[in-house]
Amino acid sequence: MMYAAGPGSGDSPEGFPEQPRLQPQIGNYTAQALDAFFTFRKNALLAKSSSSQVEGDFAMAPQGVDQEECEGLLQQWREEGSSQVLPAVSEGPLLDKGLAQSSLALLMDNPGEQVAASEDKWPGRQLSDLQAAENVEEPSFEVLGEEPPPEVEGPMWAAVPMQTDPQYADCAVLPVGALAAEQWEEDPTVVAWSMTPEPVPQEEAPLWSFEGLGQLQPPPMEIPYHEILWREWEDLSSQLDTQGLEAGDGPQFQFTLMSYNILAQDLMQQSSELYLHCHPDILSWNYRFANLMQEFQHWDPDILCLQEVQEDHYWEQLEPSLRMMGFTCFYKRRTGCKTDGCAVCYKPTRFRLLCASPVEYFRPGLELLNRDNVGLVLLLQPLLPEGLGQVSVAPLCVANTHVLYNPRRGDIKLAQMAILLAEVDKVARLSDGSHCPIILCGDLNSVPDSPLYNFIRDGELQYHGMPAWKVSGQEDFSHQLYQKKLQAPLWPSTLGITDCCQYVTCHPKRSERRKYSRDFLLRFRFCSVACQRPAGLVLMEGVTDGEPERPAGWAEPVPEEDSSEPEPVGPRAAGAIQHCLHLTSVYTHFLPQHGCPEVTTMPLGLGTTVDYIFFSAESGQSGDRTGRRHQDGTLTLLGRLSLLSEEILWAANGLPNPFCSSDHLCLLASFGMQVTAP
């Protein structure tokens, strides 16, 4: 609403002396509307210009305008509008309130058009202020000077765009009554401001259009991360018949196992360039720890194998929290100055610990094994529920490891895996020479169908002359001129591990059990060597001419023992290694429904698979090169948690993300162990 300035009646510098006298005539709400207009005009000018002249004009008027302008506007209101407003005011306070609200809405509707109102109604000083502040464009309303719109019954709603500045924060959608259009029809600017959109039915959502802004559409709904990263459970129990098992084969001991590289916080901070795509908040340990624990609680595995577990986080947070969830935990930190390691946790309500063997791959003085990676091997006895009678189930060997990452050093990866397999062979070997069911899992830093992967799955690898980078298949360095190639033997015999990935066994000799006894030493008096005359011995009668007589009570001479080193079990083949554990992968590494490979991690935005769960093959595939066999029907894959494709992970902004707090996906599988009667 614009008013032409009239002659002022007061020169007092103390604000608005006439305003209190007008309140009984026009009502409190109308006075407040006028006060809002004065304040709004000052804010509009200050917001549109940084001119010191404009700021100086308002410096002495804290209420919005100077004294002369205020009095002039009030005087014109008396002359032009009081005759129309006073009858309406006398009707009651409700109508007076509606006028005030209408005036306030019109005043605050569009500050740019207030300044652009007809210049002939502004005094010279005000016009100079406006021109100094900004070159205001002509108002875009085409109805200026026309007749006011007809009266509309009921309140109308004018859409006022929300301003970003705090001083306009309260300007939203205000009611504009028809009374305002009638009272101020003499001023064309009032008519322009009074234009309101067509009424919108209540059942339709209003879409307001502002100049330069277009229509305000509802924001697009973001798909939650848990829907993008939805992973289905694949039930494989229906495939048991194809594996040679039938429903009548007897009960099974069922359990679930999870393998998860949870990304140590120290390693993440050391390689921060890999996580620039992530918001810093989702990389904090407190956020990630809460997400990880929620994931553990959701899947609730019976055995939990973790990699990259930071030591201080393990003892201060992870182990206490997992213990409260019912787990018993074992932890092995990496050697040297490393701060992370591997952990294996199991529920004592389902398993009983038989033995735990930490594995260190570091060997002092051996260049092939100078890295600090570790593993952990547990032998667990499943606990059967009561009421099954005299039945038993074989022990379960669980191995967890994190192999060296370096793609160029496949020789180190093979040597580390040989040490782990030798430890598994020792722990899982039963008294009859067979092996109990085995699960080997972890981050192997090797891709599917690589030589290292095929060695674990097939049990044999011809490595002689193979480029070291090719072992893991992580990267292709074939373009490089110099390539390190593997030579036989891969590791020295001093490591104590054969090419069959077994520890060298020395069968104890019966003579070694008594070589320090008195009887054993006395028997050397009558050994075959002692009874022979040394060459060059001077013959002396009565001294060296006789031969010792064997006492009647002494046993026969002890045969000469072979002092050479015993041959290890299994001769070393030239340029080849093998093992006899018969392992196969839980996952197929391919998504048939998507036609693309499975992904467990996304380093530098490239999806790949480096995490695995291997388990003992079934009896139909048992029988190995050494003649040993697995127990029949002891371990069966019942189900697995599906993995994701690279495309899906890209849609979720890669790994980590707000839903998955590691740069790896967890692996989860369900197994069944055959329960046998004695």
Side-chain angles (χ1 to χ4, degrees), residues 126-203:
Q126 296 176 3
L127 183 58
S128 61
D129 290 345
L130 293 176
Q131 293 175 348
E134 184 183 41
N135 293 326
V136 183
E137 298 180 358
E138 291 296 330
S140 59
F141 297 94
E142 300 179 358
V143 296
L144 292 177
E146 297 181 0
E147 296 183 1
E151 180 178 355
V152 182
E153 296 183 359
M156 302 291 291
W157 293 91
V160 182
M162 296 293 293
Q163 304 290 338
T164 57
D165 195 280
Q167 56 189 328
Y168 309 136
D170 295 331
C171 302
V173 180
L174 300 175
V176 180
L179 179 62
E182 294 180 358
Q183 300 297 334
W184 307 107
E185 60 185 3
E186 299 175 358
D187 190 357
T189 310
V190 175
V191 179
W193 284 344
S194 301
M195 297 301 295
T196 58
E198 291 295 331
V200 180
Q202 296 182 358
E203 63 273 10

Side-chain angles (χ1 to χ4, degrees), residues 45 86 144 234 273 311-312 491 544-545 606 623 637 670:
L45 289 177
L86 288 179
L144 292 177
E234 300 178 8
E273 68 277 0
E311 185 177 26
D312 57 341
W491 55 79
T544 60
D545 59 348
L606 301 177
L637 178 62
S670 175

Side-chain angles (χ1 to χ4, degrees), residues 624-644:
D624 53 46
R625 304 172 187 85
T626 60
R628 298 186 179 89
R629 297 175 60 87
H630 291 276
Q631 290 186 346
D632 293 342
T634 54
L635 197 59
T636 305
L637 178 62
L638 301 179
R640 62 194 172 205
L641 183 63
S642 64
L643 291 173
L644 301 175

Side-chain angles (χ1 to χ4, degrees), residues 88 168 242 246 323 450 458 508 518 533 550 563 571 595 600 668:
Y168 309 136
T242 63
E246 298 179 358
R323 186 172 65 248
S450 63
D458 301 336
R518 181 176 181 273
R533 183 180 182 86
R550 189 181 306 277
S563 59
T600 65
L668 182 68

Side-chain angles (χ1 to χ4, degrees), residues 349-364:
T349 56
R350 305 295 314 279
F351 298 93
R352 175 171 56 89
L353 180 68
L354 298 180
C355 71
S357 299
V359 182
E360 296 181 358
Y361 301 140
F362 178 79
R363 295 293 189 273

Side-chain angles (χ1 to χ4, degrees), residues 148-303:
E151 180 178 355
V152 182
E153 296 183 359
M156 302 291 291
W157 293 91
V160 182
M162 296 293 293
Q163 304 290 338
T164 57
D165 195 280
Q167 56 189 328
Y168 309 136
D170 295 331
C171 302
V173 180
L174 300 175
V176 180
L179 179 62
E182 294 180 358
Q183 300 297 334
W184 307 107
E185 60 185 3
E186 299 175 358
D187 190 357
T189 310
V190 175
V191 179
W193 284 344
S194 301
M195 297 301 295
T196 58
E198 291 295 331
V200 180
Q202 296 182 358
E203 63 273 10
E204 298 181 6
L207 293 177
W208 295 312
S209 178
F210 304 140
E211 182 178 358
L213 297 180
Q215 288 190 341
L216 296 181
Q217 300 291 344
M221 295 294 296
E222 294 186 359
I223 302 178
Y225 279 94
H226 70 274
E227 294 186 9
I228 298 177
L229 301 176
W230 181 260
R231 301 174 62 181
E232 298 181 353
W233 178 259
E234 300 178 8
D235 186 7
L236 304 179
S237 59
S238 59
Q239 303 178 7
L240 295 182
D241 293 340
T242 63
Q243 299 177 1
L245 296 177
E246 298 179 358
D249 287 346
Q252 285 188 336
F253 176 83
Q254 299 183 6
F255 66 95
T256 56
L257 180 142
M258 173 183 286
S259 178
Y260 202 175
N261 183 327
I262 64 174
L263 180 57
Q265 194 74 10
D266 286 349
L267 298 180
M268 181 190 69
Q269 295 173 356
Q270 294 171 11
S271 303
S272 58
E273 68 277 0
L274 300 178
Y275 310 101
L276 297 178
H277 64 284
C278 302
H279 192 280
D281 291 345
I282 70 172
L283 297 180
S284 67
W285 170 245
N286 290 334
Y287 181 91
R288 295 177 55 237
F289 171 72
N291 262 11
L292 292 172
M293 294 306 302
Q294 191 174 25
E295 202 165 357
F296 298 155
Q297 292 176 351
H298 176 75
W299 298 118
D300 192 26
D302 298 309
I303 302 175

Side-chain angles (χ1 to χ4, degrees), residues 651-674:
N653 196 34
L655 295 173
N657 55 58
F659 184 72
C660 180
S661 290
S662 174
D663 57 350
H664 292 247
L665 295 177
C666 69
L667 278 62
L668 182 68
S670 175
F671 299 95
M673 299 180 65
Q674 193 69 33

